[in-house]
Amino acid sequence: SYVLTQPPSVSVAPGQTARITCGGNNIGSKSVHWYQQKPGQAPVLVVYDDSDRPSGIPERFSGSNSGNTATLTISRVEAGDEADYYCQVWDSSSDSVVFGGGTKLTVL
Amino acid sequence: QVQLVQSGAEVKKPGASVKVSCKASGYTFTSYGISWVRQAPGQGLEWMGWISAYNGNTNYAQKLQGRVTMTTDTSTSTAYMELRSLRSDDTAVYYCARDYLRAVAGSGYWGQGTLVTVSS
């Protein structure tokens, strides 16, 4: 089955840029979606279809996808961005949705 | 506004079944599919499956095939997820989530989650 690999943790100072990667075999050929989840809350979709933002999501959140790596970029990081972030794809070969293992973003 | 409201927490014994409901409002229920995702304590997100609210077509995660059934009641705009033969490792928060724009384009609206505890 298809595997998505995320770093367990990423740390960044306030005001800096955080980049969270999601690795998968030829992931550039798939549509990648990203979720933010804060403790005790349901996930929130922050980027869909590689780089589109749902309404209400700040422009500081952006995404890219090429080759074997998709990236969620959070610019001008704020304390409120501290959360777990998950990538997700649809794997047509197995006809199933796959989540990455999640990345804990810590704002120093 | 789109809302998904799930049923309350459940405690079940191993071998029992649980049925979680997800009542939708604020949109045309039959226009979007519903996914079910679970999260074991301290763990990541696990996709369980998807159901079309339009025609009831389902797609289940292979590891849950035979134990899970997803249904909808269009008269009440409610989706249901039933999991049978519960085991301790089924203890998790169960979420329903609506397709954002279309199937496989991400889930843009989530329920509040339902904690299911399996314990003898």
Side-chain angles (χ1 to χ4, degrees):
Chain A
S1 60
Y2 194 75
V3 176
L4 294 175
T5 301
Q6 297 184 238
S9 62
V10 168
S11 299
V12 65
Q16 299 304 302
T17 297
R19 294 179 179 84
I20 298 172
T21 59
C22 176
N25 185 35
N26 197 25
I27 194 174
S29 66
K30 303 179 185 300
S31 289
V32 180
H33 319 301
W34 291 91
Y35 299 88
Q36 175 194 71
Q37 186 181 33
K38 297 181 180 179
Q41 299 184 18
V44 173
L45 182 68
V46 293
V47 167
Y48 68 98
D49 288 349
D50 297 340
S51 58
D52 290 330
R53 276 185 313 277
S55 58
I57 299 301
E59 291 183 7
R60 300 185 298 105
F61 290 82
S62 62
S64 63
N65 184 19
S66 178
N68 293 318
T69 305
T71 303
L72 172 69
T73 301
I74 310 171
S75 304
R76 302 181 299 283
V77 166
E78 304 172 356
D81 298 330
E82 191 163 278
D84 293 325
Y85 290 84
Y86 296 89
C87 58
Q88 178 202 49
V89 301
W90 168 262
D91 178 34
S92 57
S93 63
S94 62
D95 201 20
S96 66
V97 168
V98 180
F99 283 100
T103 297
K104 181 175 180 58
L105 176 67
T106 298
V107 180
L108 301 171
Chain B
Q1 72 285 18
V2 175
Q3 277 195 310
L4 300 175
V5 178
Q6 299 183 221
S7 49
E10 303 261 14
V11 178
K12 297 292 184 181
K13 294 191 182 303
S17 299
V18 68
K19 191 170 186 177
V20 179
S21 67
C22 171
K23 184 169 177 58
S25 61
Y27 71 97
T28 301
F29 182 69
T30 53
S31 294
Y32 298 90
I34 296 284
S35 296
W36 289 88
V37 175
R38 68 180 181 178
Q39 186 170 37
Q43 302 302 308
L45 303 175
E46 179 186 10
W47 179 75
M48 300 179 67
W50 175 89
I51 182 167
S52 165
Y54 174 71
N55 57 17
N57 285 351
T58 55
N59 184 15
Y60 301 139
Q62 187 171 8
K63 71 173 286 188
L64 296 175
Q65 287 272 5
R67 288 207 300 139
V68 67
T69 301
M70 296 175 188
T71 57
T72 60
D73 181 345
T74 57
S75 69
T76 60
S77 298
T78 303
Y80 298 91
M81 185 285 300
E82 181 180 34
L83 189 61
R84 300 176 293 278
S85 302
L86 289 169
R87 308 186 291 245
S88 58
D89 62 356
D90 291 317
T91 293
V93 175
Y94 289 74
Y95 294 102
C96 63
R98 199 208 83 175
D99 292 344
Y100 181 56
L101 294 179
R102 63 186 191 282
V104 309
S107 297
Y109 304 92
W110 293 66
Q112 82 276 19
T114 296
L115 175 61
V116 175
T117 303
V118 183
S119 173
S120 54

